[in-house]
Amino acid sequence: MNPSHSSNDCISSDKVEGTSVYNAGGDKLGSIDDLVIDKHSGQVRYAVLEFGGFLGMGTDRYPLPWNMLKYDTVKEGYVVPIDAATLEKAPHYTDGDMPAYTMDYNQKVNRHYGMDS
Amino acid sequence: MNPSHSSNDCISSDKVEGTSVYNAGGDKLGSIDDLVIDKHSGQVRYAVLEFGGFLGMGTDRYPLPWNMLKYDTVKEGYVVPIDAATLEKAPHYTDGDMPAYTMDYNQKVNRHYGMDS
């Protein structure tokens, strides 16, 4: 996701999961909890942001289109160009209540972030 | 990975990790421990098979090209067309000793399984 990386620069899902996510202003939004992968192609479609809740309880999950995440080597985390209002209204679900990532759901998520489906 | 799945059929990395892997003969080889993802494109390159060891200690990690894995809905696991001799000689590493997935390393893995780099 970092443009300076070659197409052969790989990362472990174990390392992505748990990585902090910041907004453009440098505020920490939360961390990556999970990845949503296209079974057929193996393409990672979404990195699922976990945030909210108290002491890890009741946190929500917000799928973010993978290509919205840029890795910041200084922050050692991902930066996403999403303002609070946009995230607040974004499709989300609670842990253990993951929806089916159908074409309709994916389009709903992508369109919320102004991306083509 | 199952051809019957549409390109919109997604799966969580949390679900992939821990899924059993079988050979064509139906013998269980181990389970998926990790995924190796191309940072830039978001493409999953390898599913890392964990097997060997004793009570989970000293197990080895074998990166398997993602598109070699086919999901078997009856076994509820992945089936890979890899015989014991091929797997025995395959590139692998111990937990905590993950190599850099450079172009050279990826080609080494892909060629071992007779795939183009």
mmCIF file of all heavy atoms in Angstrom, chain A residues 78-105:
data_model
loop_
_atom_site.group_PDB
_atom_site.id
_atom_site.type_symbol
_atom_site.label_atom_id
_atom_site.label_comp_id
_atom_site.label_asym_id
_atom_site.label_seq_id
_atom_site.Cartn_x
_atom_site.Cartn_y
_atom_site.Cartn_z
ATOM 1 N N TYR A 78 -1.292 2.682 9.739
ATOM 2 C CA TYR A 78 -1.952 3.095 8.503
ATOM 3 C C TYR A 78 -2.623 4.446 8.686
ATOM 4 O O TYR A 78 -3.113 4.766 9.763
ATOM 5 C CB TYR A 78 -2.990 2.060 8.080
ATOM 6 C CG TYR A 78 -2.401 0.708 7.764
ATOM 7 C CD1 TYR A 78 -2.627 -0.387 8.586
ATOM 8 C CD2 TYR A 78 -1.576 0.530 6.655
ATOM 9 C CE1 TYR A 78 -2.066 -1.640 8.311
ATOM 10 C CE2 TYR A 78 -1.010 -0.700 6.371
ATOM 11 C CZ TYR A 78 -1.255 -1.772 7.198
ATOM 12 O OH TYR A 78 -0.694 -2.990 6.920
ATOM 13 N N VAL A 79 -2.622 5.226 7.634
ATOM 14 C CA VAL A 79 -3.311 6.506 7.626
ATOM 15 C C VAL A 79 -4.409 6.434 6.575
ATOM 16 O O VAL A 79 -4.176 5.964 5.451
ATOM 17 C CB VAL A 79 -2.340 7.659 7.299
ATOM 18 C CG1 VAL A 79 -3.102 8.973 7.173
ATOM 19 C CG2 VAL A 79 -1.265 7.763 8.377
ATOM 20 N N VAL A 80 -5.610 6.834 6.971
ATOM 21 C CA VAL A 80 -6.742 6.827 6.042
ATOM 22 C C VAL A 80 -7.343 8.228 5.948
ATOM 23 O O VAL A 80 -7.476 8.916 6.964
ATOM 24 C CB VAL A 80 -7.828 5.818 6.468
ATOM 25 C CG1 VAL A 80 -7.305 4.389 6.346
ATOM 26 C CG2 VAL A 80 -8.304 6.098 7.889
ATOM 27 N N PRO A 81 -7.683 8.655 4.742
ATOM 28 C CA PRO A 81 -8.248 9.997 4.541
ATOM 29 C C PRO A 81 -9.751 10.014 4.832
ATOM 30 O O PRO A 81 -10.563 10.247 3.943
ATOM 31 C CB PRO A 81 -7.963 10.270 3.063
ATOM 32 C CG PRO A 81 -8.079 8.915 2.433
ATOM 33 C CD PRO A 81 -7.515 7.945 3.458
ATOM 34 N N ILE A 82 -10.097 9.717 6.082
ATOM 35 C CA ILE A 82 -11.509 9.631 6.457
ATOM 36 C C ILE A 82 -11.759 10.568 7.634
ATOM 37 O O ILE A 82 -11.093 10.459 8.668
ATOM 38 C CB ILE A 82 -11.880 8.195 6.877
ATOM 39 C CG1 ILE A 82 -11.577 7.217 5.741
ATOM 40 C CG2 ILE A 82 -13.351 8.116 7.286
ATOM 41 C CD1 ILE A 82 -11.769 5.762 6.131
ATOM 42 N N ASP A 83 -12.724 11.489 7.468
ATOM 43 C CA ASP A 83 -13.020 12.379 8.590
ATOM 44 C C ASP A 83 -14.025 11.700 9.532
ATOM 45 O O ASP A 83 -14.662 10.705 9.186
ATOM 46 C CB ASP A 83 -13.568 13.722 8.096
ATOM 47 C CG ASP A 83 -14.823 13.568 7.269
ATOM 48 O OD1 ASP A 83 -15.712 12.791 7.678
ATOM 49 O OD2 ASP A 83 -14.916 14.195 6.198
ATOM 50 N N ALA A 84 -14.132 12.237 10.733
ATOM 51 C CA ALA A 84 -14.956 11.624 11.782
ATOM 52 C C ALA A 84 -16.403 11.434 11.336
ATOM 53 O O ALA A 84 -17.011 10.387 11.568
ATOM 54 C CB ALA A 84 -14.908 12.475 13.044
ATOM 55 N N ALA A 85 -16.941 12.459 10.649
ATOM 56 C CA ALA A 85 -18.357 12.396 10.242
ATOM 57 C C ALA A 85 -18.583 11.251 9.255
ATOM 58 O O ALA A 85 -19.582 10.526 9.337
ATOM 59 C CB ALA A 85 -18.777 13.717 9.617
ATOM 60 N N THR A 86 -17.637 11.083 8.335
ATOM 61 C CA THR A 86 -17.765 10.010 7.336
ATOM 62 C C THR A 86 -17.679 8.641 8.008
ATOM 63 O O THR A 86 -18.475 7.739 7.722
ATOM 64 C CB THR A 86 -16.652 10.126 6.281
ATOM 65 O OG1 THR A 86 -16.766 11.394 5.629
ATOM 66 C CG2 THR A 86 -16.756 9.018 5.244
ATOM 67 N N LEU A 87 -16.751 8.512 8.933
ATOM 68 C CA LEU A 87 -16.594 7.216 9.613
ATOM 69 C C LEU A 87 -17.807 6.902 10.483
ATOM 70 O O LEU A 87 -18.284 5.768 10.522
ATOM 71 C CB LEU A 87 -15.319 7.227 10.459
ATOM 72 C CG LEU A 87 -14.900 5.882 11.047
ATOM 73 C CD1 LEU A 87 -14.678 4.851 9.938
ATOM 74 C CD2 LEU A 87 -13.638 6.039 11.891
ATOM 75 N N GLU A 88 -18.318 7.946 11.121
ATOM 76 C CA GLU A 88 -19.456 7.745 12.027
ATOM 77 C C GLU A 88 -20.648 7.141 11.298
ATOM 78 O O GLU A 88 -21.371 6.305 11.843
ATOM 79 C CB GLU A 88 -19.847 9.092 12.639
ATOM 80 C CG GLU A 88 -20.780 9.009 13.841
ATOM 81 C CD GLU A 88 -21.094 10.400 14.385
ATOM 82 O OE1 GLU A 88 -20.281 11.331 14.171
ATOM 83 O OE2 GLU A 88 -22.165 10.547 14.996
ATOM 84 N N LYS A 89 -20.818 7.577 10.041
ATOM 85 C CA LYS A 89 -21.976 7.110 9.261
ATOM 86 C C LYS A 89 -21.662 5.878 8.416
ATOM 87 O O LYS A 89 -22.500 5.402 7.650
ATOM 88 C CB LYS A 89 -22.461 8.233 8.334
ATOM 89 C CG LYS A 89 -22.901 9.508 9.043
ATOM 90 C CD LYS A 89 -23.614 10.441 8.068
ATOM 91 C CE LYS A 89 -23.931 11.793 8.687
ATOM 92 N NZ LYS A 89 -22.801 12.746 8.613
ATOM 93 N N ALA A 90 -20.443 5.375 8.532
ATOM 94 C CA ALA A 90 -20.010 4.277 7.666
ATOM 95 C C ALA A 90 -20.642 2.946 8.076
ATOM 96 O O ALA A 90 -20.993 2.752 9.243
ATOM 97 C CB ALA A 90 -18.490 4.166 7.696
ATOM 98 N N PRO A 91 -20.762 2.015 7.111
ATOM 99 C CA PRO A 91 -21.260 0.675 7.441
ATOM 100 C C PRO A 91 -20.362 0.037 8.506
ATOM 101 O O PRO A 91 -19.132 0.116 8.403
ATOM 102 C CB PRO A 91 -21.153 -0.075 6.117
ATOM 103 C CG PRO A 91 -21.246 1.000 5.067
ATOM 104 C CD PRO A 91 -20.512 2.161 5.679
ATOM 105 N N HIS A 92 -20.982 -0.524 9.523
ATOM 106 C CA HIS A 92 -20.202 -1.177 10.574
ATOM 107 C C HIS A 92 -21.045 -2.243 11.246
ATOM 108 O O HIS A 92 -22.268 -2.322 11.039
ATOM 109 C CB HIS A 92 -19.710 -0.155 11.603
ATOM 110 C CG HIS A 92 -20.805 0.574 12.309
ATOM 111 N ND1 HIS A 92 -21.456 1.638 11.739
ATOM 112 C CD2 HIS A 92 -21.363 0.374 13.528
ATOM 113 C CE1 HIS A 92 -22.376 2.082 12.598
ATOM 114 N NE2 HIS A 92 -22.342 1.328 13.678
ATOM 115 N N TYR A 93 -20.395 -3.055 12.023
ATOM 116 C CA TYR A 93 -21.088 -4.154 12.715
ATOM 117 C C TYR A 93 -20.324 -4.469 13.992
ATOM 118 O O TYR A 93 -19.200 -3.993 14.189
ATOM 119 C CB TYR A 93 -21.193 -5.389 11.813
ATOM 120 C CG TYR A 93 -19.900 -5.807 11.139
ATOM 121 C CD1 TYR A 93 -19.042 -6.723 11.741
ATOM 122 C CD2 TYR A 93 -19.540 -5.292 9.899
ATOM 123 C CE1 TYR A 93 -17.862 -7.128 11.105
ATOM 124 C CE2 TYR A 93 -18.361 -5.678 9.263
ATOM 125 C CZ TYR A 93 -17.530 -6.603 9.876
ATOM 126 O OH TYR A 93 -16.363 -6.982 9.261
ATOM 127 N N THR A 94 -20.960 -5.249 14.857
ATOM 128 C CA THR A 94 -20.296 -5.607 16.110
ATOM 129 C C THR A 94 -19.537 -6.918 15.936
ATOM 130 O O THR A 94 -19.858 -7.725 15.056
ATOM 131 C CB THR A 94 -21.330 -5.779 17.238
ATOM 132 O OG1 THR A 94 -22.292 -6.755 16.808
ATOM 133 C CG2 THR A 94 -22.052 -4.468 17.523
ATOM 134 N N ASP A 95 -18.551 -7.111 16.784
ATOM 135 C CA ASP A 95 -17.753 -8.328 16.733
ATOM 136 C C ASP A 95 -18.686 -9.534 16.874
ATOM 137 O O ASP A 95 -19.583 -9.536 17.700
ATOM 138 C CB ASP A 95 -16.725 -8.323 17.867
ATOM 139 C CG ASP A 95 -15.762 -9.487 17.749
ATOM 140 O OD1 ASP A 95 -15.616 -10.026 16.636
ATOM 141 O OD2 ASP A 95 -15.167 -9.859 18.774
ATOM 142 N N GLY A 96 -18.481 -10.529 16.047
ATOM 143 C CA GLY A 96 -19.325 -11.724 16.118
ATOM 144 C C GLY A 96 -20.600 -11.591 15.313
ATOM 145 O O GLY A 96 -21.393 -12.525 15.235
ATOM 146 N N ASP A 97 -20.786 -10.423 14.713
ATOM 147 C CA ASP A 97 -21.994 -10.197 13.915
ATOM 148 C C ASP A 97 -21.606 -9.765 12.498
ATOM 149 O O ASP A 97 -22.232 -8.895 11.908
ATOM 150 C CB ASP A 97 -22.865 -9.129 14.591
ATOM 151 C CG ASP A 97 -24.246 -9.040 13.944
ATOM 152 O OD1 ASP A 97 -24.713 -10.070 13.432
ATOM 153 O OD2 ASP A 97 -24.828 -7.936 13.951
ATOM 154 N N MET A 98 -20.577 -10.392 11.971
ATOM 155 C CA MET A 98 -20.073 -10.031 10.644
ATOM 156 C C MET A 98 -21.113 -10.331 9.574
ATOM 157 O O MET A 98 -21.655 -11.433 9.523
ATOM 158 C CB MET A 98 -18.778 -10.805 10.348
ATOM 159 C CG MET A 98 -18.080 -10.372 9.079
ATOM 160 S SD MET A 98 -16.473 -11.235 8.864
ATOM 161 C CE MET A 98 -16.827 -12.129 7.344
ATOM 162 N N PRO A 99 -21.414 -9.347 8.736
ATOM 163 C CA PRO A 99 -22.394 -9.575 7.674
ATOM 164 C C PRO A 99 -21.757 -10.373 6.532
ATOM 165 O O PRO A 99 -20.533 -10.532 6.486
ATOM 166 C CB PRO A 99 -22.721 -8.157 7.209
ATOM 167 C CG PRO A 99 -21.448 -7.404 7.426
ATOM 168 C CD PRO A 99 -20.850 -7.987 8.699
ATOM 169 N N ALA A 100 -22.609 -10.869 5.648
ATOM 170 C CA ALA A 100 -22.088 -11.499 4.432
ATOM 171 C C ALA A 100 -21.580 -10.366 3.533
ATOM 172 O O ALA A 100 -22.300 -9.385 3.319
ATOM 173 C CB ALA A 100 -23.189 -12.276 3.744
ATOM 174 N N TYR A 101 -20.359 -10.505 3.062
ATOM 175 C CA TYR A 101 -19.815 -9.475 2.165
ATOM 176 C C TYR A 101 -20.285 -9.767 0.745
ATOM 177 O O TYR A 101 -19.535 -10.228 -0.104
ATOM 178 C CB TYR A 101 -18.294 -9.442 2.268
ATOM 179 C CG TYR A 101 -17.804 -8.632 3.450
ATOM 180 C CD1 TYR A 101 -17.865 -9.138 4.748
ATOM 181 C CD2 TYR A 101 -17.282 -7.358 3.277
ATOM 182 C CE1 TYR A 101 -17.429 -8.397 5.834
ATOM 183 C CE2 TYR A 101 -16.834 -6.609 4.365
ATOM 184 C CZ TYR A 101 -16.912 -7.133 5.629
ATOM 185 O OH TYR A 101 -16.473 -6.393 6.698
ATOM 186 N N THR A 102 -21.570 -9.511 0.546
ATOM 187 C CA THR A 102 -22.169 -9.724 -0.769
ATOM 188 C C THR A 102 -21.820 -8.542 -1.674
ATOM 189 O O THR A 102 -21.321 -7.515 -1.214
ATOM 190 C CB THR A 102 -23.697 -9.783 -0.647
ATOM 191 O OG1 THR A 102 -24.129 -8.536 -0.075
ATOM 192 C CG2 THR A 102 -24.121 -10.929 0.278
ATOM 193 N N MET A 103 -22.148 -8.687 -2.956
ATOM 194 C CA MET A 103 -21.910 -7.583 -3.893
ATOM 195 C C MET A 103 -22.616 -6.316 -3.399
ATOM 196 O O MET A 103 -22.060 -5.234 -3.406
ATOM 197 C CB MET A 103 -22.412 -7.954 -5.289
ATOM 198 C CG MET A 103 -22.237 -6.829 -6.308
ATOM 199 S SD MET A 103 -22.949 -7.259 -7.915
ATOM 200 C CE MET A 103 -21.776 -8.488 -8.490
ATOM 201 N N ASP A 104 -23.847 -6.480 -2.908
ATOM 202 C CA ASP A 104 -24.606 -5.317 -2.428
ATOM 203 C C ASP A 104 -23.918 -4.658 -1.225
ATOM 204 O O ASP A 104 -23.786 -3.431 -1.177
ATOM 205 C CB ASP A 104 -26.036 -5.727 -2.026
ATOM 206 C CG ASP A 104 -26.913 -6.013 -3.240
ATOM 207 O OD1 ASP A 104 -26.460 -5.712 -4.370
ATOM 208 O OD2 ASP A 104 -28.013 -6.550 -3.051
ATOM 209 N N TYR A 105 -23.467 -5.504 -0.292
ATOM 210 C CA TYR A 105 -22.825 -4.928 0.903
ATOM 211 C C TYR A 105 -21.520 -4.241 0.519
ATOM 212 O O TYR A 105 -21.239 -3.122 0.964
ATOM 213 C CB TYR A 105 -22.564 -6.020 1.953
ATOM 214 C CG TYR A 105 -22.017 -5.456 3.250
ATOM 215 C CD1 TYR A 105 -22.857 -4.828 4.161
ATOM 216 C CD2 TYR A 105 -20.656 -5.535 3.540
ATOM 217 C CE1 TYR A 105 -22.361 -4.288 5.342
ATOM 218 C CE2 TYR A 105 -20.150 -4.998 4.721
ATOM 219 C CZ TYR A 105 -21.002 -4.382 5.621
ATOM 220 O OH TYR A 105 -20.499 -3.841 6.782
#
